[in-house]
Amino acid sequence: MWLLPALLLLCFSGCLSLMGPGSVTGTVGGSLTVWCQYESTYKGYNKYWCRGQYDTSCESVVETKGEEKVERNGRVSIRDHPEALAFTVTMQNLNEDDAGSYWCKIQTVWILDSWSRDPSDLVRVYVSPATKTPRRTTRPATTPIFLMVNSGRNLSTGEVLTKNSGFRLSSPHFLLVVLLKLPLLLSMLGAVFWVNRPQRAPAGR
């Protein structure tokens, strides 16, 4: 009967002395940080990040070395923050294979047996696919067409000029052209034709 209380005591001493977030989620190509909180009793102990389904058989990924500096193993790094009673684990450049069960752990036992275990807390890591940002298509700029087309009939030259160039038939400039310049042009053309008229031969020759 004493075996069950002893096991419960070992569990509570390990479970309550260390606490992680439970689960974290990142995206492919991104990074995530895990915050593991511990009791002041474990300030001087090494901390480590372990991967596996069970805490007693998990494989250590990265661990601290008793100093307040970043320790790195590949894309995973760990750092102890004694003043905050916590250590952080950062996983960078995530891929789908990084998803799984991990453990925040504190190394208190150097020789593990069936009766002793390090304080640990399970953290499940989820990695979701990266979201693709849709590309914006830029339409080429079109030159506006100012020529107005009246469907159903053809426009005369005067109508096109009136509708599109702002030239009005009743404008003073148009009247000046008609009344002054047009007779002058006609008289010049008449003089040219008169000079170039065919000459008649003299009679009797």
Side-chain angles (χ1 to χ4, degrees), residues 129-154:
T131 56
K132 295 183 179 179
T133 304
R135 295 183 178 178
R136 294 183 178 181
T137 56
T138 304
R139 294 183 178 180
T142 57
T143 305
I145 300 175
F146 295 100
L147 182 62
M148 298 175 60
V149 178
N150 187 7
S151 60
R153 67 186 183 91
N154 296 327

Side-chain angles (χ1 to χ4, degrees), residues 71-180:
E71 299 293 339
R72 186 178 300 276
N73 181 16
R75 297 179 291 109
V76 186
S77 61
I78 188 171
R79 182 177 181 179
D80 193 10
H81 307 273
E83 70 284 353
L85 297 179
F87 66 93
T88 54
V89 177
T90 300
M91 302 175 66
Q92 297 177 327
N93 194 18
L94 294 169
N95 56 62
E96 295 180 353
D97 294 335
D98 292 328
S101 298
Y102 293 82
W103 299 84
C104 297
K105 299 194 72 171
I106 301 175
Q107 188 175 19
T108 59
V109 179
W110 295 98
I111 300 177
L112 293 176
D113 54 32
S114 59
W115 298 99
S116 59
R117 58 190 300 178
D118 286 336
S120 60
D121 194 47
L122 175 63
V123 180
R124 298 191 182 277
V125 174
Y126 300 95
V127 180
S128 59
T131 56
K132 295 183 179 179
T133 304
R135 295 183 178 178
R136 294 183 178 181
T137 56
T138 304
R139 294 183 178 180
T142 57
T143 305
I145 300 175
F146 295 100
L147 182 62
M148 298 175 60
V149 178
N150 187 7
S151 60
R153 67 186 183 91
N154 296 327
L155 295 178
S156 64
T157 305
E159 289 176 327
V160 172
L161 292 175
T162 303
K163 290 179 179 294
N164 298 283
S165 64
F167 189 85
R168 298 183 179 220
L169 297 179
S170 60
S171 63
H173 180 72
F174 180 77
L175 295 178
L176 182 63
V177 171
V178 174
L179 296 178
L180 297 179

Side-chain angles (χ1 to χ4, degrees), residues 35 37-38 40 43 47 67-68 79-88:
W35 185 273
Q37 197 83 29
Y38 57 83
S40 59
K43 265 189 175 183
K47 287 82 180 176
E67 300 178 0
E68 296 181 34
R79 182 177 181 179
D80 193 10
H81 307 273
E83 70 284 353
L85 297 179
F87 66 93
T88 54

